[in-house]
Structure formats: structure tokens, C-alpha cells
Amino acid sequence: MSRARSFSKLINKDNYATYRGSDSVTDISAVSLPQGTLNFRNKIINGDMRISQRNSSNQVTPPTNGDTTQTNNYPVDRWFIQNSSGSATIFGQQVTDVPNGNFQHSVKISTTTAINTTQAQQLNFQQRIEGYNVADFGFGSTSAKSMTFSFYVKSNVLGNYGFIIHNGNVCFVSKYEITTEDVWKKVTINLTPQTSYALSNSTNGTGLYINFDLGCGSDFESNNEGWQTGDFKRPINCIKWANNTNATFYITGVQLEEGTVPTPFEHRPYGTELALCQRYYFQNENQYMYFSARNLDNEMAATIPFPVEMRVTPLITKVSDPAGFTFTWNKVCKTCVSGGGTAPSNGYTDVCGVIQASGEL
């Protein structure tokens, strides 16, 4: 029997193969691989926290009213801090503290003073996943798939932490424990198939969202774990991380994939990961062109093409105009934005300004 045929017989019910043996090659011991392609198995975008278009490595202070649309919510792309505590003493930042040489960045969340949330207030670290990207999990059908969630985390606050995956008003409630202060730990959480409830959105809206609790109030606590109906953010008997002065929380290597066995973190090419992020947010880097001004009135027109088609027609924010210009961006679609304005004089062709285009979930 050929090695390929022998290997194929080891595929198990979860579509994973395990090969242990030498057979004239270097030993592969206890290696488990998903059947089929290994590309794009991670449903999380920017799980290694390396893309940060808005804020680079600058520290951000999220708004205190729970608003999730502002630039300061996002320490890195696709990940935001939801803060409705009324306190401005929680911060987020892209840093280079990592668990091992396979990563370059993590997100650090910190407090300077203790934040005591009331029962209706929230503190969360979240990513919302587009429905198109998780429709293949088969929610609400007899063919719904098992999922595995894994990540690296460390904190100077010990105890049980809440973790939730939301599918509309149905969520998977779980917890994980940090037992050693300031030491990176890999956490793996297995999610059973969800056969009863269809995906809340299977197109370009929010299909699932991932929620790391940082100290939500009692209104968001669940008495049970596993799949259940309700808007929960944490199980009972978990710590409130933010209720500590000078608390720190680091996270990277976040992966959500099909199956019951966690595979190594999927490191996609930088350009690929950037393009995935730009579907939801794009900030031009002074690289667009205004067309030449008309001779008599110095009127100009310009179009900025987006690097990828965005999820929806984005909200455009003008950050800056070139010196002496007044420009209005008033024609927007999923692939570009156009507008017009007045130049200081005729003849301008290559001049720069900055806009932000947001199509976040």
C-alpha cells in the first residue's frame, strides 16, 4: 500500500488526519492537519494584531459612552474596545510584547485606576465577523460544524475571564483561566455545533462577533455555559479585570476555525491581511491626485479609488486638505470617492490630503 493511501485511511470523523511514522522520511509525530486546503482557515481578520491603519502603535482612549464607531475604539484594525463605563481610564495600544518568535505584535489594554461598572455597563474587546465569512459553518442545520477558538493571552490580574461568541441573540458562553501573572498562555476553546439557530446574517452584515469580557456588569452575566439564548458577555464567577488599578491585558494569535483540533496560527502574507482589513476601513496615505484646476476659476475635481471593494458604501471623513485648498468629498460608492473644490491657483496636479473611509460592521 502506498504511503498516500495509508495516510488517507487515517482521516477521522472531523476531517482531520494524524500521521505517526518514519517510512524513510523525517518523523512527523502527533501532527494533526485539516483535510483539504489550509489557506484561509482562520475566520478572524488581523488575529496577530499587526495591521493598524488608524493609530499605528499610538495609545488610544476609547469613548466612555459605548460608541463603537470612533477611531479611538480601534487599537488595531478590526478589533475595538467597547466602553460604556463612563470612565476614560482604559487604554488600548499595539505593542511588540509577544508570546514567541512567530508573532510581532499584540494588543495591550490597560487601566490607570479601577473601573467599577454598574450592572448595565460594558467593557469588552471585540471583533465582528462578516456573515459571508462564517456561512460555511452551517448554523441552524443538521450539518452544522464544530469550531475551535484559540488565542494567546497574559495579564497581571489572575482568575477566570469571560469569553463569548455571539450569533444574534444566541451565544456560546465560556471562560478561561489565567493562573500565572504576566506569563503568556495559549487558550483553546471548543464550540459544539449550533444546529438550532441559523446564522444571524449570512451576507455582508454581522454574522458572528467575538467578545472578550473586561468587566461587564451583572446584566450581562449568564448562570450557564455553552449555547444559550440571551445577550451575555460573561459567565458568573468571573473576575472583573478592569476593577483593578494598573491592570494589563495582552492578546494576540486569535484564531477561529472549523473542527475540534486547533491548528497552528495561520500567518497570511502582510499584503493579504492588509487587503482583508481594507474591506472595512481605508485611510489613504497622501497618495491621491487632484486633477488640474480650470484656468478661470481654479475649480478642481478628483477621484480616489479604494484598494479593494469595501463591504458597504463607506462613511467618509476628511482628515486634512492640502494647504490652501477647500475640498468636499460628496460622491461615494464601494469602490471610490469623488469630489470637488478650489485650488489656490491653476495648474495643480499632484497634491495630497488625507481621508478615512469606514465600512465597519
Side-chain angles (χ1 to χ4, degrees):
M1 181 181 295
S2 70
R3 187 187 310 157
R5 288 186 62 194
S6 178
F7 185 78
S8 69
K9 288 181 176 295
L10 297 176
I11 302 297
N12 65 21
K13 62 182 178 63
D14 292 314
N15 290 329
Y16 281 79
T18 299
Y19 174 71
R20 295 180 177 88
S22 53
D23 197 14
S24 77
V25 297
T26 301
D27 277 2
I28 304 174
S29 179
V31 175
S32 295
L33 299 174
Q35 186 180 20
T37 180
L38 292 176
N39 294 327
F40 292 96
R41 67 188 184 279
N42 188 7
K43 304 298 186 177
I44 301 295
I45 295 175
N46 202 28
D48 56 3
M49 314 297 174
R50 59 181 159 157
I51 308 297
S52 184
Q53 296 183 83
R54 295 169 176 84
N55 298 301
S56 185
S57 59
N58 297 317
Q59 181 174 274
V60 300
T61 305
T64 63
N65 60 358
D67 184 359
T68 60
T69 64
Q70 298 183 30
T71 293
N72 278 356
N73 283 99
Y74 290 84
V76 296
D77 275 59
R78 303 296 300 122
W79 292 99
F80 65 90
I81 299 171
Q82 181 184 27
N83 175 21
S84 66
S85 69
S87 172
T89 60
I90 186 170
F91 311 97
Q93 186 176 16
Q94 183 196 60
V95 296
T96 56
D97 188 326
V98 292
N100 55 55
N102 296 325
F103 297 95
Q104 294 179 306
H105 296 98
S106 66
V107 163
K108 175 186 178 183
I109 305 174
S110 58
T111 65
T112 53
T113 60
I115 302 174
N116 297 299
T117 52
T118 66
Q119 65 183 47
Q121 292 176 332
Q122 296 190 61
L123 276 172
N124 301 297
F125 186 54
Q126 291 185 3
Q127 180 170 144
R128 295 174 181 171
I129 306 176
E130 190 172 349
Y132 283 131
N133 296 338
V134 288
D136 60 318
F137 281 151
F139 278 77
S141 71
T142 56
S143 59
K145 298 173 182 177
S146 299
M147 296 176 285
T148 296
F149 190 77
S150 56
F151 56 96
Y152 292 87
V153 66
K154 76 171 182 176
S155 177
N156 62 355
V157 180
L158 306 183
N160 289 323
Y161 286 72
F163 162 78
I164 311 288
I165 289 185
H166 274 260
N167 172 26
N169 198 42
V170 179
C171 57
F172 186 87
V173 181
S174 186
K175 64 177 180 286
Y176 60 97
E177 187 177 13
I178 296 179
T179 57
T180 306
E181 186 175 332
D182 289 325
V183 174
W184 282 102
K185 175 181 181 177
K186 184 173 184 180
V187 176
T188 298
I189 298 172
N190 293 112
L191 289 81
T192 55
Q194 175 49 262
T195 58
S196 300
Y197 294 90
L199 198 65
S200 59
N201 189 303
S202 59
T203 58
N204 69 337
T206 300
L208 299 176
Y209 74 82
I210 308 301
N211 190 88
F212 292 94
D213 170 63
L214 299 173
C216 290
S218 57
D219 283 357
F220 301 96
E221 289 184 341
S222 170
N223 292 322
N224 301 297
E225 296 186 42
W227 288 107
Q228 54 196 285
T229 302
D231 183 18
F232 300 116
K233 300 297 189 297
R234 53 186 279 130
I236 59 171
N237 300 323
C238 285
I239 65 164
K240 287 190 175 183
W241 168 86
N243 191 11
N244 292 272
T245 301
N246 297 323
T248 57
F249 180 91
Y250 296 80
I251 188 165
T252 194
V254 185
Q255 182 150 293
L256 175 65
E257 59 190 313
E258 177 189 338
T260 60
V261 180
T263 63
F265 182 83
E266 181 184 7
H267 293 275
R268 294 185 280 250
Y270 183 90
T272 300
E273 205 72 26
L274 176 61
L276 293 173
C277 292
Q278 286 173 331
R279 177 168 170 79
Y280 307 93
Y281 179 87
F282 165 67
Q283 178 171 306
N284 74 305
E285 298 295 336
N286 290 332
Q287 294 172 347
Y288 60 79
M289 175 184 290
Y290 288 104
F291 297 147
S292 180
R294 297 195 305 229
N295 289 329
L296 297 179
D297 54 15
N298 299 333
E299 284 296 309
M300 301 185 76
T303 297
I304 301 175
F306 301 141
V308 300
E309 180 176 299
M310 301 195 71
R311 181 185 66 88
V312 293
T313 298
L315 174 67
I316 301 297
T317 301
K318 182 175 71 172
V319 178
S320 64
D321 280 325
F325 282 74
T326 301
F327 215 81
T328 301
W329 300 101
N330 53 15
K331 298 178 181 179
V332 191
C333 66
K334 292 195 288 186
T335 58
C336 65
V337 57
S338 300
T342 304
S345 62
N346 180 46
Y348 282 82
T349 55
D350 296 310
V351 293
C352 300
V354 178
I355 65 160
Q356 298 169 340
S358 178
E360 294 284 0
L361 289 159

